[in-house]
Amino acid sequence: MAGVRLEHVYKKYPGSDLASVKDINLDIKDKEFLVLVGPSGCGKSTTLRMIAGLEEISEGKLFIGDRLVNDVAPKDRDIAMVFQSYALYPHMNVYQNMAFGLKLRKFKKADIDKRVREAAKILDIEHLLDRKPKALSGGQRQRVALGRAIVREPQVFLMDEPLSNLDAKLRGQMRAEISKLTKRLETTTIYVTHDQIEAMTMGDRIVVMKDGIIQQTDTPEVLYNHPKNLFVAGFMGAPAMNFIAGTLADQGGALRFKSSGVDVAVPEGKAKLLREKGYANKEVILGVRPEDLHEEPVFLEASPDTIVTAHVDVAENLGHEMYLHLNGIGTQTVIARIDGRAGVMNGTNVKLALDMNKVHLFDKESELNIFEN
Amino acid sequence: MSMSDWEQLQHILNCPVRVEELLLSDHPAMAGLEAGTVVEDQSESLAIITAVDDGTIQMLNVGRGNLNETEKALIAWSVARYALKQAEEIHDADGGSEAERSARAIGEWIVKQSLAGGSEPLPSSLSQDGRLYAEMIPFLLETEQTAEASAFGELQKLLDSFLDEDVIVIPLKGQEWLVLAPLALVRDTLEDRDEQAETLEESLASIGSGLQEMLASEWIGECHLAVGRPMKPVKSVVQSVTLLRETIELGRIFELGANIHLPWNMHLERLLANIPEVVRYRYVEQALGRADVFMETETLSTLDTFFALDCNVSETAKKLFIHRNTLLYRLDKLKQETGLDVRVFRDAVLMKIILLLYKFTKRA
């Protein structure tokens, strides 16, 4: 097994002045499960394809283990790939599909057989080994594609949205299986997805990308609780973080965040830091996660200084929890996630307290998180 | 020795490594030395010959650092082996096997014919002992990287092993290969009378996809592949190559992200590609009133997916991982901006044509 290191990697396509991927620096540790996440067109697949050797690196260096592999052919990089549009070899049965890469590498028949059968057992497809791909379901085909990668026992697995062709139920199941599998095989894995739930649940670390640039690299917990900028804050989490533009008013020694329908006190510790950084009486953007808006009487009593009143446009009851789509907090719709038994109805007004210890404040110009930079 | 090779060596040895080229005329004493010969072994550096040709000598200069005798000998041995391998590859390319010479002759003939716009039948002297009289499946492969000298043999071996059939590989241009495979590859499809069975086109598409993925991961990296319907090479090889070449060219414009291109999915694209550029521009502007509607990648990907899924709103929303209402909002916004409601057949046709013309104008 091996780590992967990208040093100042750029990708520029011929005829374009702009780089699709800019100055990527990543040190992926041996056995790590790293997820590249971001909206479509952010450069995550291009980055993965450069690691795979399917795209040339325009600038910078790529190391797999200690080996510089910029000009090494994909077949010689000791990696195995599973892509969204994985194409099984239709004229071969499952066994032959999994064995082909090993056959090319001149493995002994007995070794090939051992590896294929072991991988088939791990993936629970032993009973399918004689079948041709067209006789398999979507989930079974996906397992075969994974099996083809596993038998190679590569230094690195590269996966590009491998689950996006599966239905929601199967995706959830395969997500857990891939996580289990990579932990068991202890293989370094780089996984691309646009789905932040996949990213949060699978990655040891997550790289959030936008416009070809890395926005933040960290563990799921840190990305969720300490986003460095507005983009990362908005991208990680579903429903997404609410953003309210407003002003930090300095009133009699205390800082208050004010916006349309909002006038809440900023806790002392945060206020001190904001003052030091010169944000008193400045415009900022407040970010609050849906679960940090509370309707419980205990919370309302304990936080009289952070209460807002809002109109419930839609109350979506999912049973165990409820999403309230609210109007009257700032100028845009705000979503609150509350207990499913709260019994809040459409069209009513509701009082909610903001957990000001957990909110984030962003610089209006740079969009950087004031507390994290 | 390529840049990446000595950069790797530098990384492994953890000392400076550089390649320099000397003129033999300036160093006549070096004439006759072979690759792998150590010509200088001083405390600071070690110089080893990597290649000698008519007028120049290429040398690898390694910072001596902490290298011991064994390491020094190992480097010299590796350089000698490397040079030998390079020489063998050049020899293979020059001479090649009988099969390679014959395939190259066919390739040259096809290239000449297609440049001249000809459609003559293949001369019988090039018919590979009559093999090309049989119906075969044509695959046209375009690689991003120029293949090495030994590529013909590698590709032939790889395809024989992958398809387990007697395959003919024909090099056309530097990065372009024609592969002719026997009809037996789709025998199952041709013999299956079941109505639910794969069509010939589906079968060819899935073999093409498998082949492209195998070539990308096991051979050459990024490549594009077009596959055609079976034909008799002696009669139609030039037309077939022309069609597949055009298919890849159009596929690169209209099917971004796809590496396998199918001529039977490209009828409209081929038709529109023949419209003069000025007319295309004028039409897009007249139809939309403005040409920047598609500037947003979100609009492009929404429309591409919507049309690919036969204008099915629910399926499109699912594929794009967005809520159905979000998709409807996007389509309404597009209607406001362009006056075209793509949920109505007539408007959908018009939008599809405008979209293709726009892509052709922007990417061609």
Side-chain angles (χ1 to χ4, degrees):
Chain A
M1 306 310 143
V4 176
R5 202 166 76 247
L6 289 91
E7 289 179 3
H8 305 290
V9 167
Y10 286 77
K11 177 70 194 179
K12 284 179 193 158
Y13 287 101
S16 169
D17 295 337
L18 296 173
S20 312
V21 167
K22 294 163 209 153
D23 199 19
I24 299 289
N25 288 288
L26 274 176
D27 193 352
I28 304 154
K29 293 174 194 70
D30 185 18
K31 299 177 192 168
E32 185 175 8
F33 195 118
L34 185 98
V35 178
L36 299 176
V37 71
S40 64
C42 72
K44 55 189 189 299
S45 286
T46 307
T47 305
L48 192 83
R49 290 171 65 80
M50 284 193 284
I51 298 172
L54 297 176
E55 298 267 6
E56 264 186 85
I57 293 173
S58 311
E59 232 179 286
K61 290 179 179 175
L62 168 68
F63 295 90
I64 296 181
D66 283 334
R67 191 161 71 121
L68 180 72
V69 295
N70 282 44
D71 294 329
V72 176
K75 67 180 167 65
D76 299 326
R77 291 192 180 194
D78 202 4
I79 50 166
M81 302 174 265
V82 184
F83 290 137
Q84 175 184 350
S85 57
Y86 57 90
L88 298 181
Y89 309 144
H91 57 299
M92 296 181 185
N93 65 24
V94 170
Y95 185 100
Q96 291 162 331
N97 259 280
M98 289 165 72
F100 183 70
L102 301 178
K103 193 175 138 196
L104 274 188
R105 285 166 185 77
K106 309 244 184 297
F107 275 67
K108 285 182 188 157
K109 264 192 177 169
D111 289 342
I112 294 177
D113 191 65
K114 189 168 168 257
R115 285 196 187 195
V116 169
R117 292 192 187 281
E118 269 176 17
K121 195 173 172 194
I122 292 171
L123 293 162
D124 198 17
I125 50 172
E126 287 165 292
H127 59 296
L128 304 175
L129 288 174
D130 293 329
R131 289 209 200 154
K132 290 263 180 85
K134 66 181 173 187
L136 303 176
S137 68
Q140 289 168 335
R141 285 180 199 191
Q142 183 63 51
R143 278 165 206 265
V144 178
L146 277 172
R148 219 163 51 179
I150 291 171
V151 292
R152 300 261 299 272
E153 295 179 10
Q155 298 207 57
V156 185
F157 281 135
L158 302 177
M159 304 191 187
D160 190 353
E161 309 237 10
L163 306 182
S164 58
N165 284 341
L166 306 180
D167 62 47
K169 194 178 163 199
L170 206 52
R171 280 168 68 140
Q173 205 179 318
M174 287 301 289
R175 199 163 67 204
E177 286 194 22
I178 290 178
S179 289
K180 244 180 1 197
L181 189 69
T182 51
K183 287 281 171 282
R184 176 174 168 181
L185 299 172
E186 297 193 325
T187 309
T188 311
T189 305
I190 308 174
Y191 188 101
V192 161
T193 181
H194 68 279
D195 181 343
Q196 48 93 18
I197 296 177
E198 265 177 33
M200 290 290 285
T201 52
M202 298 174 89
D204 294 326
R205 279 193 305 156
I206 299 173
V207 179
V208 184
M209 292 183 72
K210 183 194 168 203
D211 300 334
I213 297 170
I214 293 181
Q215 302 291 310
Q216 190 172 355
T217 306
D218 223 312
T219 60
E221 294 74 22
V222 173
L223 281 181
Y224 191 79
N225 296 315
H226 305 280
K228 285 209 160 170
N229 60 34
L230 200 72
F231 177 79
V232 176
F235 194 79
M236 303 306 290
M241 184 184 280
N242 300 293
F243 297 115
I244 307 163
T247 309
L248 285 170
D250 200 344
Q251 283 185 345
L255 271 192
R256 297 189 74 83
F257 175 81
K258 292 190 174 190
S259 180
S260 164
V262 184
D263 183 356
V264 292
V266 178
E268 248 176 60
K270 286 193 169 177
K272 186 169 175 273
L273 191 75
L274 288 165
R275 271 210 192 81
E276 280 170 13
K277 292 196 170 194
Y279 282 99
N281 296 317
K282 289 267 174 69
E283 287 185 20
V284 292
I285 296 167
L286 179 140
V288 58
R289 293 220 178 265
E291 62 270 29
D292 294 329
L293 285 151
H294 298 269
E295 55 73 44
E296 306 96 298
V298 180
F299 208 100
L300 292 169
E301 274 169 34
S303 320
D305 256 357
T306 70
I307 293 175
V308 291
T309 304
H311 180 77
V312 181
D313 270 351
V314 182
E316 291 177 333
N317 196 342
L318 308 182
H320 65 298
E321 60 185 10
M322 185 181 266
Y323 295 156
L324 304 181
H325 296 249
L326 305 161
N327 256 329
I329 306 175
T331 51
Q332 290 183 340
T333 300
V334 163
I335 296 178
R337 173 154 53 196
I338 62 168
D339 194 301
R341 292 162 297 187
V344 178
M345 309 290 282
N346 286 351
T348 57
N349 282 345
V350 63
K351 273 190 177 185
L352 296 154
L354 274 71
D355 186 344
M356 290 300 285
N357 287 312
K358 291 193 179 158
V359 300
H360 301 269
L361 287 167
F362 300 91
D363 184 288
K364 207 179 170 197
E365 300 301 319
S366 68
E367 300 191 344
L368 292 175
N369 189 334
I370 297 168
F371 301 126
E372 304 293 341
N373 287 282
Chain B
M1 211 168 198
S2 74
M3 176 82 113
S4 71
D5 289 332
W6 62 258
E7 273 187 350
Q8 276 186 43
L9 189 60
Q10 177 164 287
H11 186 72
I12 293 166
L13 298 173
N14 197 23
C15 66
V17 171
R18 62 191 161 83
V19 171
E20 55 186 354
E21 207 167 73
L22 307 174
L23 287 175
L24 254 182
S25 52
D26 294 343
H27 303 269
M30 289 189 181
L33 295 182
E34 289 181 348
T37 311
V38 177
V39 289
E40 204 176 293
D41 184 10
Q42 295 172 351
S43 55
E44 314 79 50
S45 70
L46 172 73
I48 305 168
I49 294 178
T50 56
V52 185
D53 63 24
D54 291 344
T56 59
I57 292 187
Q58 225 185 46
M59 287 207 307
L60 191 70
N61 228 301
V62 183
R64 193 68 163 77
N66 296 323
L67 295 182
N68 60 33
E69 287 309 306
T70 313
E71 285 164 343
K72 195 182 80 181
L74 192 59
I75 295 168
W77 178 78
S78 306
V79 168
R81 296 290 302 166
Y82 182 89
L84 190 66
K85 189 169 169 261
Q86 294 285 96
E88 279 171 5
E89 282 177 4
I90 290 166
H91 170 78
D92 284 351
D94 287 349
S97 62
E98 181 55 39
E100 182 172 353
R101 273 195 292 275
S102 157
R104 286 193 188 280
I106 300 173
E108 279 163 22
W109 182 85
I110 294 172
V111 171
K112 258 188 214 160
Q113 282 289 313
S114 54
L115 280 176
S119 55
E120 284 176 31
L122 192 75
S124 56
S125 59
L126 296 176
S127 71
Q128 297 239 333
D129 299 328
R131 283 163 80 201
L132 297 182
Y133 282 97
E135 233 181 334
M136 301 187 98
I137 304 166
F139 298 90
L140 190 76
L141 171 69
E142 240 183 60
T143 64
E144 295 290 302
Q145 293 171 25
T146 309
E148 288 179 17
S150 57
F152 178 87
E154 278 174 24
L155 182 58
Q156 180 78 61
K157 222 186 277 177
L158 192 58
L159 291 174
D160 286 346
S161 170
F162 181 70
L163 297 173
D164 211 9
E165 297 282 352
D166 201 4
V167 174
I168 298 173
V169 175
I170 299 171
L172 295 175
K173 294 176 193 164
Q175 287 155 278
E176 197 182 57
W177 303 78
L178 174 68
V179 176
L180 297 170
L183 210 51
L185 266 186
V186 288
R187 190 188 295 122
D188 286 356
T189 305
L190 295 175
E191 286 172 1
D192 202 336
R193 303 267 176 251
D194 185 354
E195 276 184 14
Q196 300 296 312
E198 269 186 335
T199 62
L200 176 65
E201 284 77 12
E202 283 168 345
S203 187
L204 291 172
S206 76
I207 287 175
S209 299
L211 180 59
Q212 191 280 330
E213 179 159 311
M214 188 279 293
L215 291 170
S217 57
E218 304 289 1
W219 189 53
I220 195 82
E222 181 77 350
C223 60
H224 288 257
L225 188 91
V227 49
R229 290 195 177 94
M231 52 94 199
K232 286 186 177 163
V234 276
K235 270 169 104 184
S236 323
V237 71
V238 178
Q239 292 95 315
S240 185
V241 166
T242 307
L243 174 68
L244 296 181
R245 196 177 274 156
E246 188 187 21
T247 302
I248 292 184
E249 204 177 299
L250 293 173
R252 283 174 180 266
I253 296 168
F254 293 112
E255 303 176 330
L256 280 191
N259 292 76
I260 166 92
H261 310 288
L262 309 165
W264 49 88
N265 285 348
M266 290 270 184
H267 294 304
L268 192 53
E269 287 81 351
R270 286 221 314 275
L271 182 70
L272 296 178
N274 286 317
I275 298 174
E277 196 180 327
V278 186
V279 182
R280 285 200 300 264
Y281 262 117
R282 203 186 308 140
Y283 186 79
V284 172
E285 273 189 20
Q286 280 173 354
L288 292 179
R290 46 189 279 211
D292 60 351
V293 172
F294 302 124
M295 292 296 271
E296 282 184 35
T297 47
E298 187 184 271
T299 312
L300 270 180
S301 66
T302 303
L303 285 175
D304 278 338
T305 314
F306 186 66
F307 290 136
L309 295 170
D310 301 324
C311 304
N312 184 318
V313 172
S314 304
E315 289 298 315
T316 306
K318 214 191 279 178
K319 182 85 181 167
L320 291 171
F321 307 102
I322 55 175
H323 193 275
R324 194 186 141 88
N325 288 345
T326 310
L327 176 63
L328 292 175
Y329 167 75
R330 282 186 198 172
L331 298 182
D332 285 341
K333 197 171 138 226
L334 192 69
K335 187 182 165 189
Q336 272 179 9
E337 287 172 354
T338 63
L340 296 175
D341 184 352
V342 290
R343 285 157 289 190
V344 176
F345 177 74
R346 191 178 168 282
D347 286 0
V349 172
L350 200 55
M351 183 62 89
K352 172 79 182 173
I353 290 172
I354 294 168
L355 186 66
L356 290 176
L357 286 174
Y358 173 81
K359 284 184 183 175
F360 200 80
T361 311
K362 287 287 161 193
R363 296 174 186 164

